[in-house]
Amino acid sequence: MKPRFAHSAALPGFETPAAFLRPFAGEALMLVRAEAKAGSALPAHAHPHEQITLVFSGRMRLRLGTEWLELGPGDIAYVPPNLEHEALFLEDTVAFDAFHPLREDFLAKLASS
Amino acid sequence: MKPRFAHSAALPGFETPAAFLRPFAGEALMLVRAEAKAGSALPAHAHPHEQITLVFSGRMRLRLGTEWLELGPGDIAYVPPNLEHEALFLEDTVAFDAFHPLREDFLAKLASS
């Protein structure tokens, strides 16, 4: 795969109930820019991918298993494979989610959007 | 591995000639907070890991192979495995580098620091 550069806010993406998602994929490593409005919620879910979430701007609450955390700019969280998690966005928020391996479901949605 | 949360600026880290690095590792996915001073430079190097760099604040120039790019807040770049790259920090800069697999060299430096 070739090197690539992007202004993340200008990447193509797709709407979900919780956020607008803009994936940026390598071979087995992916970064996804998530833009969420204040008050939106990401329902409880789990996936076999490892995830590290970084808040770029805004504020969110994140549940990792049984624990709720509040994250602001520069805060990061590790979501192990298959751990149930959910989120509530307290402010308009931009977060970046790193995944390994690729979220093929996101790439399929991007391709069909 | 258990879920974890951190204020990235407060993570333990270690000094390198180019930047202070604060690793945050999962099993095969890692995010590294890099804090670089204006004028510092990361010499040309390559590694077998995939890398995605996100600029959080500041401004940097990044060479990917033969191409120089300038990145500001929210800009991202994909560094394929084994591609030679280097960086020059134009301002005090905070960037996050996602890696797959883990940079074991960084974890070793962290453990010995």
Side-chain angles (χ1 to χ4, degrees):
Chain A
M1 193 170 280
K2 290 187 176 178
R4 271 176 305 136
F5 163 83
H7 301 297
S8 62
L11 285 169
F14 56 91
E15 196 73 57
T16 71
F20 193 84
L21 302 184
R22 304 181 190 273
F24 185 76
E27 292 168 13
L29 174 68
M30 172 187 250
L31 197 67
V32 179
R33 179 186 170 109
E35 301 164 357
K37 295 286 184 193
S40 67
L42 177 68
H45 68 291
H47 45 69
H49 313 70
E50 280 193 286
Q51 176 179 339
I52 297 176
T53 292
L54 163 71
V55 174
F56 186 78
S57 62
R59 187 157 287 274
M60 63 185 287
R61 297 191 73 217
L62 178 64
R63 180 171 66 82
L64 298 180
T66 58
E67 186 178 17
W68 277 99
L69 307 162
E70 190 170 321
L71 285 76
D75 291 341
I76 57 181
Y78 173 66
V79 186
N82 303 310
L83 182 75
E84 189 180 89
H85 53 291
E86 66 179 304
L88 173 64
F89 297 93
L90 305 177
E91 302 175 3
D92 287 356
T93 297
V94 174
F96 287 87
D97 294 327
F99 292 103
H100 163 74
L102 300 188
R103 291 289 304 260
E104 299 286 355
D105 52 336
F106 286 174
L107 296 178
K109 281 188 188 167
L110 183 64
S112 69
S113 67
Chain B
M1 193 169 281
K2 291 188 175 178
R4 271 177 304 137
F5 163 82
H7 301 296
S8 62
L11 284 168
F14 57 89
E15 196 73 58
T16 71
F20 192 84
L21 301 184
R22 303 181 191 273
F24 185 77
E27 293 169 13
L29 174 67
M30 171 186 250
L31 198 66
V32 179
R33 179 186 169 111
E35 301 163 358
K37 295 286 183 193
S40 67
L42 177 67
H45 67 292
H47 45 69
H49 313 71
E50 281 193 284
Q51 175 180 339
I52 297 176
T53 292
L54 163 70
V55 174
F56 187 78
S57 62
R59 187 156 289 273
M60 63 185 285
R61 298 191 73 217
L62 178 64
R63 179 171 66 83
L64 299 178
T66 57
E67 187 178 16
W68 277 98
L69 307 161
E70 190 171 320
L71 284 77
D75 291 341
I76 57 181
Y78 173 66
V79 186
N82 304 309
L83 182 74
E84 189 180 87
H85 53 293
E86 66 178 306
L88 173 65
F89 297 94
L90 305 177
E91 301 175 5
D92 288 356
T93 297
V94 174
F96 288 87
D97 294 328
F99 291 103
H100 163 74
L102 301 188
R103 291 289 304 258
E104 299 285 356
D105 52 336
F106 287 174
L107 296 179
K109 281 188 189 168
L110 183 64
S112 68
S113 67

